[in-house]
Amino acid sequence: MKKLNKLSIIGYGAGDAANNLAFTTATMFLLVYYTDVAGISAAAAGTLLLAVRIFDAFADVFAGRVVDRAFSKRFGKFRPFIMFGSIPLLLLSVATFSVPQLGESGMLLYAYVTYAALGLAYSLVNIPYGSLAGAMTQDPGDRAKLGSARLVGAMLVSSALGIFVAPLIKPGANLQSTFTTITLVFVVIGAALYFFTVLTAKERVHRAVPNVTFKQSMDTLKGNKPLLMLCLSSFFFLTGYLALTSVQLYYLRDVLHRLDLYPVLSIIQLVLTFVLAAVMPRLVRSLGKKGVYVYASLLTVVGGAIIFFTPASQVWIGFAGLVVSLVGVLAVNIVVWALEADTVEYGEWRTGVRTEGITYALFSFTRKTGQAVGGALAAYALALGGYKSGAAQTADAVFGIQFAAGALPAIMTILAVLVMSRYTLTDAMHARILAEIQERRKTADSSAQTAATGRTPATPDAAAVGSGGTTPPGPASH
């Protein structure tokens, strides 16, 4: 298959930049909007966020089935969802940050409905977007580039929010006007980015079955052990990562007493993203995708240990722990999407059916549940430590913050690595699977040609294909 051109890779990355105009804006600012602007209590807002994020996880599975059943001869399987779902998604982001004064119960109901609708709309755009990578190419290097482009797009938005938008969220400001303006601007920018993706990121991988039945979807999932291992490992990793991101601000402000380092960390994150994106294809070639995942995860463990054990007075050592953790997280977040795409081919190899939608949906389901659990565990750690808003924190409160920012991510990441050690779909095995899939397609095409013409096409020399093998070995051999 021909290598992807740069425009296709950039176009794919633009899609995740657009995704994060809605997703990251909500994860970074929705809690403060609910409590400080809408006037919803912190406890009610926390319950709302947890409940809706769990709903989002199930919405991903629903979206996966919808995607698997859909197919357009003109636009393919995935791009129509991005094309027609992007504007409603971005407008729902505006609605979510526009809670009217309807009384406590009315505002809470409005918040539940709009945030849940935003989550469903996001699933119906993001599941096909994430599945699109596996349909664009089967080349490991190109998939690493797509993962890098995706992370660059996401980190550009995340860093811009941290550097330019976060400083606007200050006491006394007209925050409703701020959020309304920001989300309306994001509708225009996001729509342009999504349509750039639709025009440049096209499907090129052959599929024998365009419309996938429910039984076919379930068959590809239940025998896909690499996917299940990747999902479980990602659940643990995301639990730890979201615990860290949930209390990162608390760690800088209340432990190190250097909130001014928050924009610095955002800038470092942006620089690291570009560096890792540039070197990731080379790292994948030398270590393999599984190797990059494991070694990067171990970096996150080291960073978590530094955060947890460093005294509050050692500001730069503690800050270095955050940076080390960040390197590991960014590297994992690049390579994990290529790993997920590989599991699609594993399912196709076993069943003969490509099911990008439900495969990505299951993967996203476990990631979102990990995010929900990680955020909740971080909040519990703060509560157990006796954290008090706006007050000098006790030693117990500081310990709770350090545990949530350091120990909890390290423990969860160790569990993620232990699960990943049983992941069998290496790059070498993936290459063999691709060769067998391609051989099957040639055989199927030859059979179709014979049926159509009544003549048997010339076959290559037996010695040339003798090792190709079109029948997958039994599961026990893997």
Side-chain angles (χ1 to χ4, degrees):
M1 179 174 286
K2 186 179 178 182
K3 303 282 282 186
L4 290 177
N5 59 44
K6 290 183 179 179
L7 188 63
S8 295
I9 295 169
I10 294 170
Y12 186 74
D16 216 33
N19 281 340
N20 281 274
L21 290 175
F23 181 78
T24 304
T25 302
T27 56
M28 287 182 69
F29 302 123
L30 195 53
L31 179 59
V32 71
Y33 174 79
Y34 281 154
T35 57
D36 293 6
V37 182
I40 297 172
S41 71
T47 302
L48 185 161
L49 294 178
L50 179 61
V52 174
R53 285 172 182 172
I54 295 295
F55 166 80
D56 284 353
F58 285 96
D60 281 353
V61 178
F62 167 76
R65 276 300 302 144
V66 172
V67 170
D68 276 344
R69 288 184 61 82
F71 184 76
S72 164
K73 289 184 178 180
R74 182 177 180 183
F75 296 109
K77 196 172 189 67
F78 307 113
R79 291 187 297 152
F81 289 92
I82 302 172
M83 187 184 309
F84 298 111
S86 56
I87 302 300
L89 166 63
L90 294 165
L91 290 175
L92 279 167
S93 183
V94 179
T96 300
F97 282 92
S98 303
V99 177
Q101 295 299 312
L102 301 172
E104 185 176 351
S105 297
M107 289 190 299
L108 197 56
L109 177 61
Y110 178 92
Y112 267 99
V113 171
T114 51
Y115 190 32
L118 176 66
L120 178 59
Y122 182 75
S123 293
L124 288 169
V125 172
N126 184 55
I127 294 299
Y129 168 77
S131 303
L132 179 60
M136 289 176 66
T137 180
Q138 294 175 311
D139 179 82
D142 277 349
R143 282 186 173 172
K145 290 177 182 178
L146 290 176
S148 297
R150 176 174 186 163
L151 184 66
V152 168
M155 289 302 107
L156 281 172
V157 171
S158 178
S159 298
L161 290 172
I163 295 169
F164 301 112
V165 177
L168 302 177
I169 315 302
K170 54 189 178 182
N174 185 349
L175 295 181
Q176 181 60 71
S177 176
T178 298
F179 282 117
T180 299
T181 301
I182 289 170
T183 51
L184 284 173
V185 169
F186 285 175
V187 171
V188 178
I189 297 173
L193 291 171
Y194 276 128
F195 278 88
F196 179 53
T197 299
V198 169
L199 292 173
T200 57
K202 299 182 179 180
E203 300 168 37
R204 305 189 306 162
V205 176
H206 169 84
R207 63 182 66 253
V209 183
N211 305 101
V212 182
T213 67
F214 179 78
K215 183 179 183 302
Q216 288 171 327
S217 291
M218 294 302 102
D219 286 343
T220 58
L221 291 184
K222 67 184 181 183
N224 200 329
K225 184 178 178 181
L227 173 63
L228 299 179
M229 291 294 101
L230 183 62
C231 286
L232 183 58
S233 180
S234 292
F235 171 81
F236 287 129
F237 187 86
L238 265 292
T239 297
Y241 171 48
L242 261 290
L244 171 59
T245 55
S246 296
V247 298
Q248 189 168 271
L249 185 145
Y250 299 89
Y251 180 72
L252 289 169
R253 184 187 65 191
D254 299 314
V255 178
L256 301 184
H257 303 292
R258 290 294 304 271
L259 185 57
D260 60 302
L261 291 177
Y262 197 99
V264 176
L265 189 64
S266 295
I267 295 170
I268 291 173
Q269 173 180 272
L270 190 59
V271 173
L272 287 173
T273 298
F274 282 105
V275 171
L276 286 171
V279 303
M280 188 54 66
R282 189 181 309 167
L283 288 175
V284 167
R285 285 194 297 269
S286 60
L287 299 175
K289 292 187 285 291
K290 175 183 174 180
V292 172
Y293 184 102
V294 170
Y295 289 124
S297 296
L298 293 176
L299 267 182
T300 304
V301 174
V302 172
I306 293 172
I307 293 168
F308 181 62
F309 289 110
T310 298
S313 59
Q314 302 298 316
V315 173
W316 292 109
I317 297 177
F319 185 75
L322 285 175
V323 174
V324 171
S325 289
L326 187 60
V327 173
V329 166
L330 291 174
V332 168
N333 280 340
I334 289 176
V335 78
V336 73
W337 305 111
L339 287 165
E340 183 276 333
D342 289 353
T343 67
V344 173
E345 267 93 43
Y346 184 89
E348 180 184 5
W349 174 68
R350 287 184 58 90
T351 66
V353 179
R354 286 184 71 85
T355 56
E356 291 102 332
I358 197 66
T359 301
Y360 186 86
L362 180 63
F363 182 59
S364 184
F365 174 87
T366 56
R367 287 176 64 86
K368 284 190 175 179
T369 52
Q371 291 169 355
V373 172
L377 289 178
Y380 296 151
L382 294 182
L384 289 173
Y387 172 81
K388 300 291 185 183
S389 177
Q393 303 306 320
T394 65
D396 286 343
V398 168
F399 178 83
I401 294 170
Q402 286 184 286
F403 181 84
L408 189 55
I411 293 167
M412 291 295 123
T413 305
I414 289 171
L415 292 175
V417 171
L418 290 174
V419 172
M420 200 62 182
S421 67
R422 302 181 64 83
Y423 183 82
T424 57
L425 186 53
T426 62
D427 288 1
M429 181 181 177
H430 180 251
R432 293 196 301 271
I433 285 173
L434 281 182
E436 292 196 18
I437 291 173
Q438 290 163 3
E439 187 63 34
R440 289 182 205 168
R441 289 173 184 163
K442 291 179 183 177
T443 302
D445 290 343
S446 296
S447 299
Q449 182 180 346
T450 300
T453 64
R455 292 183 299 174
T456 302
T459 57
D461 183 75
V465 297
S467 61
T470 59
T471 303
S477 64
H478 299 290

